[in-house]
């Protein structure tokens, strides 16, 4: 298995532009998570889906952020309009509904820089 | 959500054991203790998890205090490849998929 796939790996954009991050979870996994990581705040859960349905989006910072999961093999995280404070590494992770282990498998991340 | 407290950083010599502590004094009876680590420029990866009993796997051992208010991740022989940030995380069995992450312990080997 290729693992969780994220694209792009790096994104540099200007303030005010729309940014779309993409994620392909591991086949067969039914939970998908979007995280943001910065030096100051560490790893923050933004939103997670179970069976393509958003379960908890309490970590989404504001209305400029939106996430979708149209099917079991694809999800997007969109920022519109982007701001310099959105600069961070964004991780996508997926997991199986497998009892207590709850192992999340992370992608390589997308490093976003907003100028 | 229950919180954990870890030292910001630790150092170890190669081939020596490393004990990474974690305090979780507000843990509830249904909270599992998870450990993940994050190697430089990579996403986090699962290390081990437990509820009450000590656990061993090929990567590490997890020692859980009798009152469950603290735990220790044990790397038996540290190598250079173990240099990473180690996160101790609690998750509730009722909402097991949501993990609340702290800033972790940065381990230098």
């Amino acid at each position: 298995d290729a693992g969780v796939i994220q694209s792009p790996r790096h994104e540099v954009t200007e303030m005010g532009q729309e940014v779309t991050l993409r994620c392909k979870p591991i086949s067969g996994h039914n939970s998908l998570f979007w995280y943001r990581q910065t030096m100051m705040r560490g790893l923050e859960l933004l939103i997670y889906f179970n069976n393509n349905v958003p379960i908890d989006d309490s970590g989404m910072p504001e209305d400029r952020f939106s996430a979708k999961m149209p099917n079991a093999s694809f999800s997007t995280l969109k920022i519109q309009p982007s701001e310099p404070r959105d600069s961070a590494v964004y991780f996508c992770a997926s997991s199986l509904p497998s009892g207590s282990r709850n192992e999340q498998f992370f992608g390589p991340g997308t490093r976003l820089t907003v100028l | 959500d229950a919180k954990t407290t870890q030292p910001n950083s630790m150092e170890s010599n190669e081939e020596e054991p490393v004990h990474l502590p974690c305090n979780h004094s507000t843990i509830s009876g249904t909270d599992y203790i998870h450990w993940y680590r994050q190697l430089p420029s990579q996403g986090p990866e699962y290390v081990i998890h437990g509820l009450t009993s000590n656990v061993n796997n090929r990567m590490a051992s997890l020692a859980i205090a009798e009152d469950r208010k603290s735990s220790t991740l044990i790397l038996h022989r540290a190598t250079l490849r173990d240099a990473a940030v180690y996160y101790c995380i609690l998750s509730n069995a009722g909402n097991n998929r949501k993990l609340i992450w702290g800033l972790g312990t940065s381990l230098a080997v």
Side-chain angles (χ1 to χ4, degrees):
Chain A
D1 197 318
V4 175
I5 298 172
Q6 292 186 246
S7 64
R9 293 293 308 277
H10 301 272
E11 176 82 25
V12 180
T13 191
E14 293 188 345
M15 183 174 62
Q17 296 298 305
E18 177 179 298
V19 175
T20 298
L21 311 181
R22 297 172 176 80
C23 176
K24 176 178 170 55
I26 293 173
S27 177
H29 285 193
N30 74 334
S31 294
L32 183 139
F33 308 80
W34 281 102
Y35 290 91
R36 177 174 66 178
Q37 186 171 39
T38 60
M39 288 292 292
M40 292 298 294
R41 300 175 65 92
L43 200 62
E44 302 173 280
L45 176 66
L46 300 177
I47 185 172
Y48 84 89
F49 296 84
N50 197 34
N51 294 322
N52 311 338
V53 177
I55 301 300
D56 186 338
D57 65 354
S58 58
M60 295 286 263
E62 48 198 273
D63 292 344
R64 298 184 298 106
F65 285 68
S66 63
K68 294 182 179 179
M69 192 165 186
N71 57 63
S73 59
F74 183 66
S75 178
T76 59
L77 178 67
K78 185 176 295 186
I79 308 172
Q80 167 62 18
S82 58
E83 297 183 2
R85 60 190 168 127
D86 301 330
S87 297
V89 180
Y90 291 81
F91 288 103
C92 175
S94 68
S95 73
L96 281 167
S98 54
S100 68
R101 182 173 169 123
N102 191 24
E103 180 177 354
Q104 295 186 15
F105 294 81
F106 283 75
T110 294
R111 181 172 296 277
L112 173 64
T113 302
V114 183
L115 303 175
Chain B
D1 295 319
K3 294 184 178 179
T4 62
T5 304
Q6 300 177 252
N8 291 332
S9 63
M10 292 183 63
E11 290 185 1
S12 174
N13 295 317
E14 279 189 274
E15 304 301 318
E16 290 187 357
V18 182
H19 291 236
L20 298 163
C22 180
N23 287 320
H24 28 79
S25 58
T26 59
I27 192 170
S28 72
T30 55
D31 283 336
Y32 284 83
I33 303 160
H34 301 260
W35 283 83
Y36 279 71
R37 72 178 185 180
Q38 186 173 19
L39 302 171
S41 301
Q42 295 187 26
E45 62 178 354
Y46 169 88
V47 177
I48 200 167
H49 83 288
L51 183 62
T52 56
S53 303
N54 295 344
V55 184
N56 299 295
N57 67 21
R58 65 175 180 81
M59 290 181 71
S61 296
L62 175 60
I64 301 173
E66 194 169 336
D67 63 4
R68 300 210 324 126
K69 295 184 183 300
S70 66
S71 62
T72 302
L73 179 71
I74 303 165
L75 307 179
H76 295 288
R77 293 178 63 189
T79 70
L80 294 176
R81 289 174 293 181
D82 292 321
V85 178
Y86 287 79
Y87 297 95
C88 170
I89 306 159
L90 302 183
S91 70
N92 187 277
N95 187 18
N96 213 4
R97 285 163 179 72
K98 185 172 181 177
L99 302 177
I100 307 299
W101 302 70
L103 294 178
T105 297
S106 179
L107 175 66
V109 181

